[in-house]
């Protein structure tokens, strides 16, 4: 492969372009954002990812990677653009459509076209192939059309792009083989060949598996809060079984993958995808469950002072996309009864529409601290600082991440604990 054109220079497209360039391929990266293109041509990037600035600088200086607003002729095209969801939870494949249209004028017989964006099943057949056909090329004979989903974890992208197993699914076995060979230039893990729709579905099912399992853990937390069972102990003990892996309950599921991808399956098979839809509903209900617990915890106070800790969708990152913590904070802020203080050491003021306070400002005089993200800073919260600063030292740890102990006057609740009401009496059998 002499030359690759990568469309979309985001969290996945840019590292992908850089890694191909590092392997000696001539790469042109295309983006609609002028700033991204201009900065990249100077060897600079605007996203944060471990190790990426160094690799980009090296390949831009060596001339192997350059950026442009327009696609160019190449041997292979890799489309790596976002697929957001519409208000009604259906997939918006408009960027995939426009990226495909943008490369069509530069396509020649024998080229490889790969879509890496996460897409609903059958998108390669029903959306991408027809665009190529309209342009006068046979999508099964003239070009090699394939889907190769990205599966990397932010923070480890440069490692996982190389080491993870890749799944490549083409419209024909020949297309699959050609697309797989593109990845074999950079991937040390397995490159597995399959059909397009299988590749589309396997990516979606990876994230759906996790979402459904988190829903099960969240349901256990709700059941435990009713029955007076220790959900976390139950998970710990059940997971001693070699084939059981109950996930962790929490304030909900966020981010741009788990909270979105299951809907791409529901959209295509709503009557069958019942467990998947229900799991989304259960996970989406968790912010309200947290709010109910906050109401119970503060029911007896006149003007409760509540400190909310953590806004990101998971710990030790600065990403607040689809974060359940944001929903919780906004609902608590909307209640005029509360004096609310918000603190997150990983988030900057301009990312959120409300003021942020330091740890000290947030806990001073507080009646309740609610932990909503498992940042390392929260795992290490100092018990004595809370006891000294809070008016009534009560903590609701929705991520079960702190090391705080139920002692010396501190009360600690976790998600799934009975709060407020007594556990209902469970009737013994035969009584
Ligand atoms: N969460 C729980 N309980 C758990 C595990 C996670 O409530 O037991 C929550 C987290 O707090 C977070 C959400 O789930 O809100 C998602 O976090 P995550 O770390 O599971 O996943 P993402 O969205 O950051 O990345 C996922 C990864 N997929 C899988 O692990 C199957 C990643 O490999 C994918 O590349 C990425 O989605 C993607 O782009 O699809």
């Amino acid at each position: 492969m002499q030359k690759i054109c990568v469309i979309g220079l985001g969290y996945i497209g840019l590292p992908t372009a850089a890694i191909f360039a590092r392997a000696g391929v001539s790469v042109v990266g295309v983006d609609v954002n002028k700033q991204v293109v201009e900065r990249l041509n100077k060897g600079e990037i605007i996203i944060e990812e471990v190790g990426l600035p160094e690799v980009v600088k090296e390949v831009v200086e060596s001339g192997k990677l350059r950026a442009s607003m327009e696609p160019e002729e190449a041997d292979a095209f890799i489309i790596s653009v976002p697929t957001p969801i519409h208000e009604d939870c259906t997939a918006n494949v408009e960027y995939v459509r426009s990226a495909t249209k943008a490369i069509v004028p530069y396509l020649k017989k024998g080229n490889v076209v790969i879509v890496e964006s996460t897409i609903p099943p059958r998108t390669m057949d029903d959306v991408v192939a027809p665009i190529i056909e309209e342009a006068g090329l046979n999508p099964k004979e003239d070009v090699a059309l394939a889907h190769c989903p990205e599966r990397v974890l932010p923070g480890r992208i440069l490692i996982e792009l190389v080491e993870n197993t890749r799944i490549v699914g083409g419209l024909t076995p020949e297309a699959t083989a050609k697309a797989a060979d593109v990845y074999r230039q950079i991937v040390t893990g397995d490159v597995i060949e399959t059909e397009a729709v299988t590749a589309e579905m396997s990516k979606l099912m990876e994230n759906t598996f996790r979402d459904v399992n988190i829903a099960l853990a969240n349901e256990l937390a709700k059941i435990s809060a009713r029955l007076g069972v220790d959900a976390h102990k139950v998970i710990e003990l059940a997971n001693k079984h070699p084939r059981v892996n109950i996930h962790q309950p929490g304030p909900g599921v966020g981010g741009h993958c788990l909270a979105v991808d299951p809907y791409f399956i529901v959209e295509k098979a709503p009557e069958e995808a019942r467990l998947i839809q229900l799991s989304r509903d259960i996970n989406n209900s968790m912010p309200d469950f947290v709010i109910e617990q906050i109401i119970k915890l503060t029911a007896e106070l006149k003007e409760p002072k509540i400190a909310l800790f953590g806004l990101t969708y998971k710990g030790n990152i600065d990403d607040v996309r689809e974060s359940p913590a944001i929903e919780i904070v906004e609902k608590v802020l909307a209640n005029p009864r509360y004096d609310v203080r918000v603190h997150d050491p990983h988030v900057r003021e301009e990312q959120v529409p409300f003021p942020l306070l330091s740890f000290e400002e947030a806990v001073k005089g507080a009646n309740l601290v609610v932990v909503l993200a498992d940042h390392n800073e929260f795992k290490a919260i100092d018990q004595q600082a809370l006891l000294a600063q809070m008016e009534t030292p009560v903590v609701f740890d929705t991520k079960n991440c702190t090391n705080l102990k139920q002692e010396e006057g501190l009360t600690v609740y976790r998600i799934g604990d009975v709060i407020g009401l007594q556990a209902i009496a469970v009737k013994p059998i035969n009584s």
Side-chain angles (χ1 to χ4, degrees):
M1 194 63 45
Q2 307 284 309
K3 183 174 171 188
I4 294 181
C5 180
V6 177
I7 315 289
L9 296 172
Y11 276 96
I12 303 299
L14 180 55
T16 303
I19 286 178
F20 274 107
R22 191 177 61 184
V25 179
S26 171
V27 182
V28 57
V30 179
D31 204 287
V32 289
N33 184 331
K34 199 170 164 208
Q35 198 204 352
V36 169
V37 170
E38 286 176 355
R39 295 278 295 271
L40 185 60
N41 281 328
K42 291 185 195 147
E44 299 164 6
I45 62 173
I46 61 167
I47 55 173
E48 259 184 49
E49 179 58 35
V50 180
L52 190 58
E54 294 79 7
V55 182
V56 166
K57 190 165 179 290
E58 176 196 321
V59 290
V60 171
E61 277 174 6
S62 72
K64 282 292 177 192
L65 174 64
R66 37 190 192 88
S68 169
M69 306 269 303
E70 285 295 322
E72 294 175 9
E73 287 191 355
D75 303 300
F77 295 82
I78 296 180
I79 295 176
S80 185
V81 293
T83 36
I85 49 171
H86 291 119
E87 284 275 306
D88 66 356
C89 292
T90 57
N92 175 355
V93 293
E94 215 35 62
Y95 297 115
V96 174
R97 200 176 265 132
S98 57
T100 312
K101 285 185 178 159
I103 62 169
V104 152
Y106 306 93
L107 269 186
K108 295 188 308 292
K109 282 192 182 177
N111 281 167
V112 182
V113 178
I114 298 160
V115 176
E116 285 207 7
S117 314
T118 305
I119 44 180
R122 295 200 52 82
T123 301
M124 292 306 294
D125 289 89
D126 297 347
V127 178
V128 180
I131 295 172
I132 291 181
E133 196 157 23
E134 273 165 34
L137 287 165
N138 184 324
K140 289 196 174 168
E141 286 169 14
D142 296 338
V143 291
L145 209 53
H147 177 51
C148 178
E150 60 82 8
R151 316 159 87 192
V152 292
L153 209 59
R156 286 180 46 84
I157 294 180
L158 287 183
I159 300 164
E160 294 204 356
L161 273 182
V162 174
E163 293 180 2
N164 286 7
T165 298
R166 294 300 290 248
I167 295 171
V168 181
L171 252 57
T172 63
E174 295 72 36
T176 305
K178 272 185 98 169
D181 282 343
V182 172
Y183 288 97
R184 290 197 179 104
Q185 296 177 100
I186 57 160
V187 172
T188 59
D190 289 342
V191 180
I192 301 177
E193 301 183 17
T194 184
E195 291 168 356
V197 73
T198 312
E200 291 167 335
M201 200 64 180
S202 61
K203 159 73 192 195
L204 297 174
M205 282 308 288
E206 289 166 14
N207 285 343
T208 300
F209 170 86
R210 225 165 138 70
D211 195 51
V212 169
N213 277 283
I214 297 166
L216 185 64
N218 283 334
E219 189 161 281
L220 168 63
K222 287 181 171 181
I223 294 168
S224 299
R226 180 167 295 276
L227 300 185
V229 177
D230 182 338
H232 300 281
K233 196 76 197 168
V234 169
I235 293 171
E236 188 193 322
L237 297 183
N239 286 352
K240 299 270 184 218
H241 187 289
R243 288 175 296 283
V244 174
N245 176 21
I246 303 180
H247 288 39
Q248 296 302 316
V253 169
H256 208 66
C257 308
L258 267 64
V260 174
D261 295 356
Y263 289 120
F264 291 10
I265 302 175
V266 173
E267 168 187 350
K268 294 290 173 177
E271 285 182 19
E272 291 78 12
R274 288 160 53 204
L275 180 61
I276 298 174
Q277 176 66 63
L278 185 60
S279 301
R280 285 277 69 243
D281 295 344
I282 291 169
N283 290 335
N284 284 340
S285 76
M286 293 313 286
D288 282 338
F289 180 69
V290 170
I291 301 278
E292 277 169 35
Q293 310 301 72
I294 293 174
I295 291 171
K296 286 182 195 164
L297 283 168
T298 55
E300 271 153 35
L301 296 163
K302 222 168 163 213
E303 236 183 63
K305 295 184 268 304
I306 305 178
L308 299 167
F309 277 17
L311 294 166
T312 58
Y313 82 88
K314 63 179 184 180
N316 302 320
I317 57 167
D318 66 356
D319 193 340
V320 295
R321 286 182 301 174
E322 323 284 333
S323 173
I326 296 277
E327 184 182 339
I328 292 167
V329 169
E330 286 185 332
K331 285 188 172 161
V332 175
L333 278 168
N335 188 331
R337 216 169 70 79
Y338 297 143
D339 169 353
V340 186
R341 304 92 181 272
V342 187
H343 166 64
D344 190 318
H346 291 260
V347 174
R348 298 174 309 278
E349 284 246 302
E350 60 270 22
Q351 285 179 262
V352 286
F354 39 77
L356 296 178
L357 300 178
S358 68
F359 172 82
E360 289 75 19
E361 290 166 328
V363 293
K364 201 168 185 351
N367 299 108
L368 171 68
V369 166
V370 185
V371 177
L372 298 168
D374 46 354
H375 294 320
N376 286 344
E377 290 86 343
F378 301 157
K379 291 178 187 164
I381 291 179
D382 178 23
Q383 177 128 351
Q384 294 309 322
L386 292 186
L387 284 168
Q389 296 296 323
M390 292 179 74
E391 194 173 289
T392 52
V394 181
V395 174
F396 180 24
D397 178 0
T398 70
K399 295 294 289 185
N400 190 27
C401 68
T402 64
N403 277 320
L404 300 167
K405 304 242 160 33
Q406 187 89 11
E407 59 188 24
E408 298 172 32
L410 186 74
T411 311
V412 184
Y413 291 100
R414 295 163 310 162
I415 201 142
D417 287 347
V418 179
I419 295 179
L421 298 169
Q422 288 298 311
I424 59 159
V426 182
K427 266 197 186 167
I429 302 168
N430 300 330
S431 72

